[in-house]
Amino acid sequence: MNIDSIRLAVIGLGYVGLPLAVEFGKIREVVGFDINKSRVEALTQGIDTTQEVSREELTSACKLKFTADPQELMNANVFIVTVPTPIDKYKQPDLSPLLSASSLLGKILKKGDIVIYESTVYPGATEEVCVPELERISQLKFNHDFFVGYSPERINPGDKNHRVSNIRKVTSGSTPEVADVVDQLYLQIITAGTHKANSIKVAEAAKVIENTQRDVNIALINELALIFGKMGIDTEAVLEAAGTKWNFLPFRPGLVGGHCIGVDPYYLTHKAQAIGYHPEIILAGRRLNDSMGGYVAGELVKAMTKRALYVQGARVLVMGMAFKENCPDIRNTKVIDIVRELNAYGAAVDIHDPWASSSEVLSEYDISLVSEIHRNTYDAIVIAVAHKQFAELGASEIRKFGKPNHVLYDLKYLFKREETDLRL
């Protein structure tokens, strides 16, 4: 396939697919498809509820067309799939969105077409799960009638500095020729360049270990924070001192949620166990990171008890619901673990987040956010997410929301130690 003959479609217009479609839409005709009709309607009106792409950027992508109609994909011959790959309640990979997208494409796949997957998966999933579905629905033969590629997404929600175009892209294809086409296609928009992996499995593995590495490193720092907490040592002070060495990695303790770091390791461990290997370090890191919400709630309860504050019936303000700062993304947020644990103790918890969508939080977690915070109301305040609005308020203003004898727990080291009562 000649690069100039590509008719492109992007399947899935979320945090990953939309920025990608916009970049391509600046230089070539692109169909952006999503099954969510309201999402498509909003984008058509120039509104991105994820806040990843501005109205100006959407306007600049003058060759991009949004649709929720699969018939609009019939003319495309290269499809980039950017659907979510979450985990289920048993922490097992949920490939249903990926299978649904593959089934949809199987119905319109033609000879010579290329399907490129960007969704994070375990090594082998593209060829072992997606390709058979494409073959089953289309009745075409893989690497004879149609081809696939894999180029893992590297989107960092809320990051306005590291964008699609200036993050180096890993590419791969099911044949050397297809790998070249995939690589050349992405080079049209990736100014940082590409790295062409020698197989799809290598590209899949590279993606899944990026976040697994971060997860394990954060787990180590979280464990150190637990140890130092028991010793009465300020973890941040320790990390600042250790950070004076040139090769010390600057990780910080905290909640590990979101659609990548808190999820991707389970894809790798699932595949490892399927081939008979039990991954010790990765799963240990996951268990520790998944337990941090409960630990935080427990530490808050201890601090309240020391001040003779009754936890049962106490009012607690949790500031932040998104999984990270300055971002509306609430997927797999671990703040919910703190909230549920405090509820189990009998506390009444209010959550305030200027970034998160109230309707999304209600739909996903059955919790209503509070839009206004009243002064002299709370027995405890937890700064769970380091949104810029909270930093701008300052510790003294935030303390005014608390009763005279309240506890202020700063999980994000947003303020100086002397300005807070408790830090992770």
Side-chain angles (χ1 to χ4, degrees), residues 243-256:
T244 59
K245 190 181 180 190
W246 77 92
N247 61 352
F248 186 81
L249 301 177
F251 288 96
R252 289 295 183 268
L255 306 176
V256 184

Side-chain angles (χ1 to χ4, degrees), residues 138-178:
S138 70
Q139 295 298 297
L140 298 176
K141 186 177 179 181
F142 174 51
N143 273 348
H144 181 270
D145 298 318
F146 73 93
F147 307 88
V148 300
Y150 185 80
S151 181
E153 59 90 2
R154 280 176 166 171
I155 293 294
N156 186 24
D159 189 339
K160 301 306 179 184
N161 295 316
H162 299 94
R163 311 289 285 171
V164 173
S165 59
N166 63 16
I167 301 174
R168 195 173 182 192
K169 202 88 163 71
V170 175
T171 65
S172 64
S174 56
T175 69
E177 295 76 18
V178 169

Side-chain angles (χ1 to χ4, degrees), residues 107-390:
K107 296 173 184 176
I108 59 178
L109 211 58
K110 308 173 294 299
K111 287 189 176 182
D113 286 359
I114 300 174
V115 181
I116 304 168
Y117 291 92
E118 287 210 5
S119 308
T120 302
V121 291
Y122 54 77
T126 299
E127 291 156 298
E128 296 166 9
V129 177
C130 300
V131 165
E133 184 69 4
L134 291 172
E135 285 187 315
R136 184 181 72 83
I137 300 296
S138 70
Q139 295 298 297
L140 298 176
K141 186 177 179 181
F142 174 51
N143 273 348
H144 181 270
D145 298 318
F146 73 93
F147 307 88
V148 300
Y150 185 80
S151 181
E153 59 90 2
R154 280 176 166 171
I155 293 294
N156 186 24
D159 189 339
K160 301 306 179 184
N161 295 316
H162 299 94
R163 311 289 285 171
V164 173
S165 59
N166 63 16
I167 301 174
R168 195 173 182 192
K169 202 88 163 71
V170 175
T171 65
S172 64
S174 56
T175 69
E177 295 76 18
V178 169
D180 287 340
V181 172
V182 172
D183 196 64
Q184 291 167 20
L185 175 62
Y186 280 107
L187 277 173
Q188 290 191 321
I189 62 167
I190 306 297
T191 58
T194 60
H195 173 89
K196 187 165 59 176
N198 61 18
S199 72
I200 287 175
K201 285 184 179 179
V202 167
E204 291 168 326
K207 169 56 182 175
V208 80
I209 72 165
E210 289 174 14
N211 289 318
T212 300
Q213 183 187 64
R214 287 184 57 79
D215 192 44
V216 170
N217 274 289
I218 296 171
L220 171 62
I221 302 301
N222 273 337
E223 187 161 64
L224 293 175
L226 304 190
I227 295 170
F228 295 147
K230 290 182 177 296
M231 298 173 68
I233 300 173
D234 182 9
T235 302
E236 176 71 358
V238 174
L239 294 176
E240 286 176 353
T244 59
K245 190 181 180 190
W246 77 92
N247 61 352
F248 186 81
L249 301 177
F251 288 96
R252 289 295 183 268
L255 306 176
V256 184
H259 67 299
C260 286
I261 300 178
V263 171
D264 294 357
Y266 286 120
Y267 275 77
L268 183 57
T269 57
H270 167 81
K271 185 62 176 180
Q273 290 169 327
I275 60 175
Y277 179 79
H278 182 74
E280 299 283 354
I281 295 175
I282 300 171
L283 284 175
R286 277 282 76 234
R287 285 192 296 271
L288 198 147
N289 284 342
D290 277 345
S291 71
M292 290 304 292
Y295 172 79
V296 166
E299 289 298 290
L300 180 62
V301 167
K302 288 178 187 177
M304 293 174 69
T305 302
K306 287 178 181 178
R307 292 199 178 185
L309 294 169
Y310 289 104
V311 178
Q312 188 168 12
R315 295 200 63 183
V316 180
L317 173 64
V318 172
M319 301 185 71
M321 184 63 178
F323 90 89
K324 64 178 291 188
E325 67 275 5
N326 307 324
C327 170
D329 195 347
I330 61 167
R331 291 175 296 173
N332 193 37
T333 176
K334 293 304 175 183
V335 176
I336 191 64
D337 294 347
I338 301 174
V339 174
R340 287 171 177 165
E341 192 72 13
L342 290 174
N343 286 154
Y345 278 107
V349 182
D350 285 344
I351 308 171
H352 174 70
D353 192 310
W355 285 81
S357 163
S358 296
S359 59
E360 285 185 19
V361 172
L362 184 62
S363 174
E364 184 71 21
Y365 300 104
D366 196 26
I367 289 175
S368 297
L369 298 179
V370 295
S371 57
E372 293 185 24
I373 315 173
H374 300 289
R375 294 188 173 194
N376 197 32
T377 300
Y378 298 98
D379 299 287
I381 302 170
V382 180
I383 302 173
V385 186
H387 289 319
K388 61 184 180 182
Q389 289 91 336
F390 302 157

Side-chain angles (χ1 to χ4, degrees), residues 386-395 398 414-415:
H387 289 319
K388 61 184 180 182
Q389 289 91 336
F390 302 157
E392 290 167 357
L393 269 177
I398 288 175
L414 201 57
F415 305 115

